[in-house]
Amino acid sequence: MVSALLLSTPGAKAQRAGGGPPATDPFGRRVVPARVVPGGRYKSHSFAGGVLRVTCTNGSMLKVQSWAEGVLKVSYSANSHPLKADSSVSVVQGPAVQDEPKGILATKPEVANTPDALLVLSGPLANGVTVMIDKKTCQVSYHRNELSFSQAGPIFLYQAAAPTTATQPVPGGVGVRFRLAPGERLYGTGSRALPLDRRGHRLELYNQAHYGSQNNEPNLNIALPTVLSSRGYMLFFDNHAPGYLDLGKTDKNVLEYGGEGLTSLSYFVITGRNQAEILERYTALTGRQPLPPRWALGLIQSRFGYQSDAEMQNVAARMRRENFPLDALVLDLYWFGGTTRQGDLAWDRSKFPDPAGMMSRLNKQGVKTVLISEPYVMLTSRNDSTVRTQGLVGTTAAGQPFTVGSFWAGPASLLDVFKPQTRDWLWGYYKQLHQEGAAGWWSDLGEPENHPEAMQHAAGPARAVHNAFGQSWAGILSEGYAKDFPDERVFNLARSGWAGMQRNSVFPWSGDINRSWSGFQAQIPVMLGMGQGGVGYMHSDAGGFCVGGIDPELYTRWLQMASLCPILRPHGSGVPPEPYYYPDPYKSSVRNAVQLRYQLLPYLYTLAWQNTARGLPLVRAMDFNNRYPVIPPPPPSKADYLVEVAAADDWEKPKKEHFYRDIDTSAPLDSLVTKALALANDQYLLGPNLLVAPVLHPSQRRCNVLIPSGNWIDFYTNQTYAGSSVVGVPAPLAHTPLLVRGGAFLPMTSYRPSTALYRPDTLLLRYYPDPSASESEFTMYDDDGHSAQALARRQYETLTARGFCTPMQTDVILSSNGEYPGQPVFRFLRLLVQRVAAPPTAIFFDEKPVPAEGYSYDPVKHELEVHFLMNAGVAVSLRGLKILTTTAPNAAPDALTLEAPDARSFGPGGTTLHYTRHRRTSPTAVQPDRRNPKLEISSVRADAFLNIFDSLGQLVFTEALSDEPGPHALRWDARNAAPGVYTAEVAGQHQRLIVTQ
């Protein structure tokens, strides 16, 4: 039962006046189709420095160049508008020098001029892509091995229709179309609460805040102009103008991009062997995310909002007392005085009399302080006069300060973050606050949320620069730290951004999400879609921010998932977001989840390094490693590896083979499981070795999980699930399903309540030897956890674990390279070998027998522990090791899932129940008898009918269920139901319903 404290909590309130949505909707107008202006034909071309320039008969110009390995750039300028110098807010990588005499660039591109087309033979630089330009249309197409795709016509101009009293057409601009292949899937595009495959949708490229968002919201706070194709290429449209992506909505066979008000257009084509390689190249182009401070991977507790020094101290103390870990507390707008004081950027001394002392005391407890700031300065702010008289804000067309009268909290000005003087002014505040002890930042409302189109900025009109605003704002922090605090890492919780935002150390979240099961379910495709656009730390207000009431089960399941996400940050308004307010068993389940996260810190920190070094997101789609038509080279043999290790010196960046060796090459590309993996919206990979299947429905205690190729092992029970299949996995309230890849190494540590207490001198290395993965490898990364120069100064350690598993012998080879300040001379390593049937016949440590005290065996866990002190490296040989590989019993998947109803508590009118059937089943002729349900029900297939029982167990409603696969809805009007508690049941699954009147 929920405690009295929970029941007395006031209803949820929005973080804006009146609880309403943003006052402006930039896409509220009716879209009027634009007129396409026909393009020209080929006229002439020139080729120099690896760049092909084509002039067309209408005066337009096309430029094609190899930019980097696997990356091509295409630029277009309309007639009478010469190609301009690049003014990208996204691209930081310059083009490769084409006359480089050695290495990958040694082979120069060549142009073949035929009567019908120009062929750009780009060679190894662009990963073997050949570009063809049709002379009749100036249409561009691309060919590489089995991959072939093309524009659906030339790049084109479009002109807006004439305005009328009833319409306001979208301004004209430039657009381009691409042909789509049958079955081609389209991923990425930013923060969208849509299925992972975005094909069939028309998406706005304009950052927007949507209050209380949940499933099926297509346009949210972060739009990315990137589309990742399942055929092995990414399209990146390099302009921050408002625009759209039509992904087969208007024409199912065409992808169309349009940029508003443009006379020129640039896009990049990025190819690779799989998503990993494409994202590696894309993030090299737009910038990589710097390493986070280690504390950022701990529990960051937030709410709207802590209002005093005493409250901060009390929260920290109770988290410790209740045995919850804690690494940071977030201060919402009360730190500067509340809603009407936005823009003050100075402490409210009546509630926070000694902020430096408060932050110092918290820091000594291992708790950092994160401060919110907004880009708005209210007329009631102490800084209103300063920013308006000094010209630090957006202006009217006449150059006067623009007052945003519709801002949710009251009239305000919007800081012009494009102005150097504004950036200096704002950094002055951030610098002072940081020197007082602020460790991180919360950049809210940065779309900007309310951005009148009549406003002018130094960089252009509001609408034209809107998408670049968050990018520019985040740059103030990253540039300021680089100048004044170059040894410190930046942590910036940002709500909005644009392509390349990751390089500014932003850790984005999905905005003001609805506190509901629908809001929770939306977070997986939001997070994965951002990862497929190069942003690796997307997360959510864990537990849900607004609108919904108290639901302990929803909170528990959300925190369990968030503990296995890039960032863990409970946050909410109106109901308690702190875990200690919830009763058991919910509180204990959350405690177990967040403590497991702290045990996984060595693994999570390594994923952060992978993101920094190669651009790989921490959370990955289920087909992340599935190969495209080009098959990667096989891994080196054991003998080759040993020679390589012996010859290796200190690594600045490990070779790719050492770094990432889990490319899936075993599942056929056309298998049903492979296709299903590409569409999975309800599970994900956490790095290369963990599969997370969050529980997304109330009362669900078992999940159907889609298993990639190879064996996967239950983290909690050590039971084995065979790959390339769908299995039913237990999902008790105590934990969410978590599977480990067969053959994987999983570095862990003992639980401690703060990352400040992290001990690098002890490592728990779980190993899951498996016959299906005879060779496996994982490289762990470690450094001091806070130095921004760790990689540049080569002050870090890599520990590579390599496993070789055969029926007669299992070997583990460990090799440590590098050093950093504070690194222990020796590490106590506990090698925990899983699924061991019995102790091995012999154990050797560098070819020497290990004495009995050097290992132990737990027959209940089936875990063998070998422990030793390690310095540079060691080889452990387990002779005669037998692994338990029998697959889990009772693993058949459920035929259907009973899902959350539209309303769990309702009056007249009833509610709609939902279920998804996973596979077709045979029809059933026998229906239960309401008068004596127990007599007949045994002869009915369990998933054929939905039954509703009252609190006495009497059947009050039954309805046959569809046998068709897919989602279904079923209405119960509760017409004859008395007020009370009811249970909807099908196939052993239950939903609790409350009829109020």
Side-chain angles (χ1 to χ4, degrees):
M1 185 174 181
V2 178
S3 67
L5 177 59
L6 284 176
L7 292 175
S8 64
T9 304
K13 292 188 292 186
Q15 195 165 338
R16 52 175 53 86
T24 58
D25 180 1
F27 283 94
R29 58 195 176 183
R30 184 167 69 90
V31 175
V32 179
R35 182 176 68 89
V36 174
V37 179
R41 298 164 57 95
Y42 166 85
K43 180 180 179 182
S44 63
H45 77 276
S46 63
F47 181 69
V51 180
L52 173 67
R53 290 175 173 82
V54 178
T55 301
C56 300
T57 53
N58 66 345
S60 63
M61 180 175 288
L62 193 66
K63 182 170 73 172
V64 180
Q65 65 185 123
S66 296
W67 197 266
E69 184 178 4
V71 181
L72 288 165
K73 182 180 182 181
V74 176
S75 301
Y76 168 86
S77 179
N79 47 317
S80 74
H81 294 279
L83 285 170
K84 299 178 181 178
D86 290 333
S87 58
S88 173
V89 302
S90 301
V91 173
V92 294
Q93 180 189 49
V97 179
Q98 296 298 326
D99 57 357
E100 179 71 29
K102 59 184 179 180
I104 193 69
L105 308 182
T107 303
K108 299 179 182 179
E110 297 178 357
V111 174
N113 188 358
T114 73
D116 298 321
L118 296 173
L119 295 176
V120 185
L121 309 175
S122 52
L125 176 60
N127 213 30
V129 175
T130 297
V131 179
M132 185 176 75
I133 300 173
D134 189 305
K135 288 186 173 181
K136 292 181 180 179
T137 62
C138 288
Q139 172 183 320
V140 186
S141 58
Y142 307 88
H143 309 273
R144 179 176 67 86
N145 298 325
E146 299 177 32
L147 172 65
S148 179
F149 69 101
S150 69
Q151 293 177 187
I155 299 175
F156 58 88
L157 287 173
Y158 60 94
Q159 294 180 346
T164 69
T165 56
T167 64
Q168 182 183 2
V170 172
V174 176
V176 61
R177 298 185 179 116
F178 296 86
R179 292 194 180 97
L180 295 174
E184 184 172 0
R185 298 175 295 275
L186 303 174
Y187 305 128
T189 75
S191 182
R192 320 276 184 181
L194 296 172
L196 202 59
D197 179 8
R198 273 82 199 260
R199 186 166 178 175
H201 292 271
R202 186 184 190 277
L203 307 173
E204 305 294 351
L205 292 173
Y206 198 87
N207 295 333
Q208 311 170 44
H210 285 263
Y211 184 75
S213 63
Q214 48 189 337
N215 264 332
N216 301 313
E217 177 54 64
N219 302 303
L220 288 170
N221 310 72
I222 305 173
L224 295 179
T226 58
V227 182
L228 179 62
S229 168
S230 62
R231 298 186 62 226
Y233 67 92
M234 173 190 274
L235 294 173
F236 161 42
F237 301 97
D238 184 25
N239 196 288
H240 57 273
Y244 64 89
L245 286 168
D246 190 321
L247 307 180
K249 173 73 171 179
T250 303
D251 182 335
K252 66 179 182 179
N253 299 314
V254 172
L255 180 161
E256 181 177 325
Y257 163 82
E260 192 176 287
L262 300 180
T263 58
S264 61
L265 178 150
S266 293
Y267 70 85
F268 288 85
V269 178
I270 306 167
T271 59
R273 295 178 296 177
N274 54 15
Q275 289 187 29
E277 190 163 70
I278 290 176
L279 288 176
E280 180 178 10
R281 291 168 175 171
Y282 167 75
T283 54
L285 180 68
T286 59
R288 300 261 168 80
Q289 177 117 3
L291 279 170
R294 199 189 319 264
W295 64 261
L297 299 179
L299 190 151
I300 301 170
Q301 184 62 56
S302 179
R303 72 149 61 199
F304 179 51
Y306 302 124
Q307 300 188 30
S308 68
D309 181 325
E311 188 174 9
M312 292 280 281
Q313 298 288 351
N314 289 339
V315 171
R318 186 163 180 188
M319 289 289 282
R320 293 282 186 254
R321 189 166 65 248
E322 296 266 8
N323 199 20
F324 285 98
L326 181 66
D327 263 87
L329 287 171
V330 181
L331 276 170
D332 212 316
L333 46 79
Y334 295 105
W335 75 267
F336 50 69
T339 300
T340 62
R341 308 307 303 177
Q342 292 181 70
D344 277 15
L345 296 169
W347 292 91
D348 178 359
R349 297 281 175 167
S350 67
K351 300 294 181 65
F352 299 90
D354 179 18
M358 177 195 73
M359 291 187 283
S360 176
R361 289 189 295 273
L362 288 170
N363 190 50
K364 290 175 181 177
Q365 302 171 49
V367 180
K368 307 294 184 182
T369 302
V370 177
L371 301 181
I372 195 172
S373 72
E374 301 89 353
Y376 295 89
V377 179
M378 300 191 65
L379 300 190
T380 50
S381 166
R382 63 194 288 269
N383 285 322
D384 171 64
S385 176
T386 299
V387 299
R388 293 168 76 88
T389 58
Q390 293 186 13
L392 307 182
V393 298
T395 67
T396 65
Q400 297 302 308
F402 193 110
T403 300
V404 185
S406 55
F407 182 55
W408 65 268
S413 302
L414 177 63
L415 291 170
D416 189 347
V417 296
F418 302 101
K419 289 184 176 180
Q421 58 268 40
T422 305
R423 300 172 70 83
D424 291 342
W425 179 85
L426 197 52
W427 172 244
Y429 275 99
Y430 291 151
K431 180 179 179 179
Q432 178 182 344
L433 292 165
H434 177 64
Q435 289 170 330
E436 290 177 348
W441 311 95
W442 178 13
S443 303
D444 201 11
L445 316 182
E447 293 77 25
E449 181 179 282
N450 191 310
H451 203 186
E453 292 184 17
M455 185 182 293
Q456 300 291 315
H457 292 273
R463 188 167 174 83
V465 302
H466 176 87
N467 288 328
F469 189 97
Q471 190 95 307
S472 184
W473 185 18
I476 296 174
L477 284 166
S478 60
E479 293 164 14
Y481 269 70
K483 179 182 65 175
D484 292 326
F485 310 113
D487 290 328
E488 298 186 42
R489 300 179 187 176
V490 183
F491 180 76
N492 180 12
L493 291 168
R495 201 174 80 174
S496 195
W498 193 246
M501 61 188 290
Q502 67 278 352
R503 69 173 180 269
N504 284 320
S505 293
V506 295
F507 299 81
W509 84 100
S510 53
D512 293 344
I513 50 180
N514 195 292
R515 190 182 301 112
S516 65
W517 290 92
S518 177
F520 174 38
Q521 293 158 10
Q523 300 315 302
I524 297 178
V526 164
M527 185 167 51
L528 292 174
M530 287 291 287
Q532 289 169 326
V535 183
Y537 288 92
M538 190 62 173
H539 66 288
S540 64
D541 291 340
F545 177 70
C546 59
V547 180
I550 297 169
D551 187 336
E553 185 180 9
L554 171 64
Y555 179 86
T556 299
R557 293 308 196 184
W558 207 321
L559 267 289
Q560 286 173 341
M561 184 184 83
S563 295
L564 297 168
C565 284
I567 299 294
L568 168 60
R569 188 180 54 85
H571 180 58
S573 169
V575 305
E578 297 84 8
Y580 50 70
Y581 279 116
Y582 289 80
D584 276 327
Y586 307 104
K587 179 165 64 175
S588 295
S589 297
V590 172
R591 183 185 293 114
N592 292 339
V594 297
Q595 289 189 1
L596 173 61
R597 179 181 183 85
Y598 277 68
Q599 292 173 284
L600 288 169
L601 271 174
Y603 181 71
L604 295 174
Y605 198 58
T606 297
L607 300 187
W609 171 59
Q610 292 186 2
N611 178 257
T612 296
R614 290 192 59 202
L616 310 183
L618 283 72
V619 164
R620 304 164 188 179
M622 292 302 301
D623 66 339
F624 185 77
N625 304 310
N626 283 7
R627 69 187 185 275
Y628 296 128
V630 177
I631 299 175
S637 67
K638 178 180 176 181
D640 291 339
Y641 178 78
L642 292 175
V643 170
E644 211 170 323
V645 168
D649 56 7
D650 190 18
W651 296 342
E652 180 178 0
K653 176 180 173 184
K655 299 176 182 178
K656 291 183 182 180
E657 290 77 15
H658 293 158
F659 188 91
Y660 199 79
R661 185 79 59 70
D662 64 333
I663 294 174
D664 180 2
T665 58
S666 57
L669 292 175
D670 59 350
S671 72
L672 292 177
V673 170
T674 300
K675 292 179 179 179
L677 287 170
L679 300 174
N681 294 294
D682 55 359
Q683 58 185 65
Y684 57 86
L685 297 173
L686 179 59
N689 293 338
L690 292 178
L691 190 164
V692 184
V695 181
L696 299 175
H697 304 285
S699 304
Q700 189 174 16
R701 297 297 181 265
R702 182 178 164 87
C703 287
N704 285 356
V705 181
L706 188 61
I707 307 293
S709 62
N711 287 328
W712 289 77
I713 298 95
D714 191 305
F715 177 86
Y716 298 98
T717 67
N718 258 344
Q719 290 188 322
T720 301
Y721 296 94
S724 300
S725 63
V726 180
V727 299
V729 178
L733 185 66
H735 62 79
T736 201
L738 178 63
L739 305 181
V740 188
R741 186 192 298 272
F745 289 93
L746 194 62
M748 301 178 65
T749 188
S750 298
Y751 167 71
R752 292 179 178 85
S754 169
T755 61
L757 302 174
Y758 177 74
R759 294 282 301 272
D761 59 355
T762 301
L763 182 67
L764 283 63
L765 185 61
R766 282 201 183 198
Y767 176 42
Y768 293 80
D770 191 88
S772 71
S774 59
E775 297 185 16
S776 56
E777 179 185 318
F778 186 78
T779 296
M780 189 191 91
Y781 173 89
D782 200 16
D783 60 22
D784 64 13
H786 60 82
S787 173
Q789 304 301 322
L791 289 173
R793 294 172 181 167
R794 301 169 65 121
Q795 294 177 343
Y796 59 87
E797 176 194 15
T798 56
L799 174 64
T800 297
R802 189 94 190 275
F804 302 88
C805 179
T806 69
M808 301 302 297
Q809 180 174 324
T810 295
D811 293 326
V812 175
I813 301 171
L814 303 174
S815 176
S816 172
N817 291 273
E819 59 184 23
Y820 60 89
Q823 179 184 11
V825 177
F826 289 93
R827 176 182 282 114
F828 180 62
L829 201 145
R830 296 172 57 193
L831 178 63
L832 306 175
V833 186
Q834 305 299 305
R835 297 187 304 158
V836 176
T841 55
I843 302 176
F844 289 85
F845 184 85
D846 284 342
E847 300 301 328
K848 297 178 181 178
V850 174
E853 61 269 20
Y855 67 93
S856 62
Y857 176 68
D858 187 330
V860 177
K861 293 183 179 179
H862 296 289
E863 179 182 85
L864 172 70
E865 175 176 333
V866 184
H867 40 261
F868 47 87
L869 287 175
M870 176 185 156
N871 184 358
V874 67
V876 180
S877 182
L878 309 174
R879 311 287 170 84
L881 186 71
K882 294 184 178 179
I883 306 299
L884 296 170
T885 58
T886 304
T887 56
N890 305 316
D894 291 339
L896 62 75
T897 298
L898 183 60
E899 299 166 352
D902 281 354
R904 304 180 76 183
S905 180
F906 49 89
T911 190
T912 299
L913 297 127
H914 297 269
Y915 65 97
T916 295
R917 188 170 292 282
H918 305 297
R919 62 180 184 275
R920 186 184 301 276
T921 55
S922 58
T924 302
V926 182
Q927 184 171 354
D929 187 338
R930 293 190 189 184
R931 294 167 298 178
N932 192 359
K934 294 182 180 179
L935 179 67
E936 297 277 358
I937 205 163
S938 61
S939 60
V940 179
R941 197 185 70 246
D943 60 20
F945 291 89
L946 180 139
N947 302 305
I948 298 179
F949 300 90
D950 63 18
S951 59
L952 299 177
Q954 298 296 315
L955 182 66
V956 298
F957 176 82
T958 186
E959 186 77 23
L961 301 180
S962 171
D963 290 315
E964 290 296 320
H968 300 276
L970 187 153
R971 187 75 185 170
W972 182 42
D973 58 21
R975 184 179 306 146
N976 299 318
V981 177
Y982 293 80
T983 301
E985 184 274 337
V986 57
Q989 301 177 48
H990 304 84
Q991 291 292 336
R992 187 168 178 261
L993 308 172
I994 300 175
V995 177
T996 56
Q997 294 185 26

